[in-house]
Amino acid sequence: MSQYKALFLSESREYLRSIAEQVVALEQSPGERTAVDALFRGAHSLKGMAASMEYGDVVVVAHGMEDLMARVRDGALPFDAGVADLLLEGVDLIDVLLQDVEQERPSTLPTGDYAQRLATYTPSAQEAAPVEKGEPQEAGAPPSPAAELPPLPAAEAEKGKEPAGEAGGTVRVRTELLDHLINLTGELVTNKQRLLNIGRELASPPLNDAVSETAKLLRALHDEVMKVRLMPFEAISDRFQRSVRSVAKKSGKEIHFELTGREIGLDRGMLEQLVDPLNHILRNAVDHGIEESGERERAGKPARGTVRLAVTRDRDRIQIMVRDDGRGMEPRAMIEAAIAKGLLSPEEGELLSPEQALMLSCIPGFSTAKQVTDISGRGVGMDAVNTAIQKLGGTLSIDSEPGAGTTVTLRLPLTIAIIHALVVQVGQVKAAIPVNAVQRTVELSRGQIETMGKRQMFQLDGEPIPLLSLNRVMGLPLGRFPDGILPLFVTQARGRRVGVVVDHLLGQHELFVKQLGRPLDKMAGVAGGATLGDGEIVAILDLAGLL
C-alpha cells in the first residue's frame, strides 16, 4: 500500500460517514441549507481525492452524487426520500469500492446504472408537492413533519460541518502505535504493583516514598494515554441513524431520531464492540417499542414516534441511554410470560420487583416466542446485548412505563484496557472479577442462610438473595469454612441479584487486561488474563458467560 493510499482511505471514510449523517439529518430538517452545501462539498471532495489516486469507479459514483446535490442546491430538485435513498446507496457503493482498494484487488462491485439513475432522477408527484426547501409556508397550510419536531440539540446543529481531517495541532497516528503505547503503560502498571510489594517486604521508607511518587506519575501517564486511545462516539453514530431509518421505512412508521453526545470520547476497542448491541436496542425500540401511527393517535400521542440516543460522561464512566416514547413494557405481563415458559416458578415471580421483571427480557430464551414479544414489546436477543455489555465491564438497566415508553441505560467504564478488579481465591486458583460487576462483598455466617425449596438464600436489604458456589460453577472442589463464615460477592445474573460464594476475598487490584490467544479465547466465562504484582497470572472472569 502506498504511503498515500492509507491517508486516502482514512479521509474518504470520514467523508462517507459525514455524508451518511447529513443525509439522515436532512430528511428531518430539509431546509438546512448548510447541510445541503456540506453534502455537495463532501461528494466533490471524494471525487477529487479519488481522481488524484486514479480510482475511476469511485470517481464515477462520487461525481453522480455531486451532480445530484448540485441540482438540490440550485433548487431544481427538492431533497426528498428518493434523493436520500440514492445518496445512501452511493455511500454503500463507495464503501465497498474502498474495501477493494484496501485489499488491493480489482473492483468487485459493478456500479451498474447508478450514475444514470442519479442523472435522470425526478421526484414522484406525491413527493414533489411539498413546498420547496427554505421557502416560508403559506398561511393556513399544514405544518411540515419537521415543523412538529422539538428543536434539535446543539450537537445536531453541527451536522452541516464537513468532516474534520488533519487540522492544525493534530496528527494522524497508526492505531498499532497507540496499541503499543497502551501495552507499555499496562506493563508499567503491573510492575508498579510489584515494586509496592517489594517496598512492603523491605519496610524501607525511602523506597516506599519513591514508589509512591512513581505511582502518581504513572497514574498521570495512564490517564493521558487513555485519552489518546479515545475516539468520539460519532465514529460509529452514522450506523445508528441509518439503522433507525431503515427499520422505520420497513415497518412503515414515522420516527424522529435524536442523537446527542456524539463528541463524547470512548475507548476505541469499546466503540467497536458497542455497534451491534446498540443497533439491536435501537431496532427493538423502533420495531417493537414505537406503535403504529394510528395507535399512537388513538392514545393521544403524536403520530410520529421519537427515539433518542444520548451519550454522556461522568468522570471515568460513560452512560449511553436509548429512550423511546412507545408503548412501554408491563412488568406483570413479563413475569407471567416467564412463568408460562418455565423460566420462573410462580413463587420466584412473586419475589421480583418491577425493575427485576423488566430485566427478564435479558434471559436467554425469554423473548424467542412470538407471544412473548407481543406482550413484552421487546425483540429477540437482549440476552446477547446484556452479555456483550457485561463483557465490557458495564451494566445494563431497563426502565419502562406502560404507554409512555422505555429507557435502556448502559453504564460503561471509560476504558477496557486497564481495570479495577476484585481478586478472589477459588480452590487453588486466583480469579479476578471487574469491580463494575460487583455490587457488594459480604461475609455471611451459616446462621444467616435459609433454605427455600431447593435453594439456599440469605436476606440482603430485605431481599432474598440466592447463593451460588463459584467453586461448583468452575468445577473445582468445594470450599471449607471451618470458622463458619462464608465470603461472597453480590452480582446480577439473569435479571436478579445472586450471592457468589468463594474461598477468600483477596482485595482490589488495578489490572492490565491481556486478551487470550487461541484456543483459550474460546473458553466460556473467561474474558482475558492479567498478571498480579507478584507475577502470578489470574483469569479475568466473564460472569455473564459463567453464570
Side-chain angles (χ1 to χ4, degrees), residues 484-502:
I485 300 297
L486 281 68
L488 61 92
F489 63 88
V490 179
T491 187
Q492 186 147 356
R494 295 178 173 249
R496 66 173 307 178
R497 294 200 293 177
V498 296
V500 182
V501 179
V502 298

Side-chain angles (χ1 to χ4, degrees), residues 66-85:
E66 178 190 7
D67 282 350
L68 184 69
M69 283 311 300
R71 293 165 63 195
V72 174
R73 185 191 59 180
D74 297 340
L77 198 65
F79 188 92
D80 56 16
V83 172
D85 288 341

Side-chain angles (χ1 to χ4, degrees), residues 445-466:
S445 68
R446 291 189 183 277
Q448 294 176 277
I449 299 175
E450 307 168 5
T451 301
M452 300 176 65
K454 295 181 180 179
R455 288 192 170 181
Q456 290 190 313
M457 321 273 284
F458 74 104
Q459 298 289 329
L460 184 65
D461 302 330
E463 177 187 347
I465 307 290

Side-chain angles (χ1 to χ4, degrees), residues 6 14 45 71 92 188 216 286 301 340 395 460 465:
E14 283 189 23
S45 299
R71 293 165 63 195
D92 292 338
L188 284 172
K216 290 178 184 175
V286 176
K301 297 180 177 179
T395 60
L460 184 65
I465 307 290

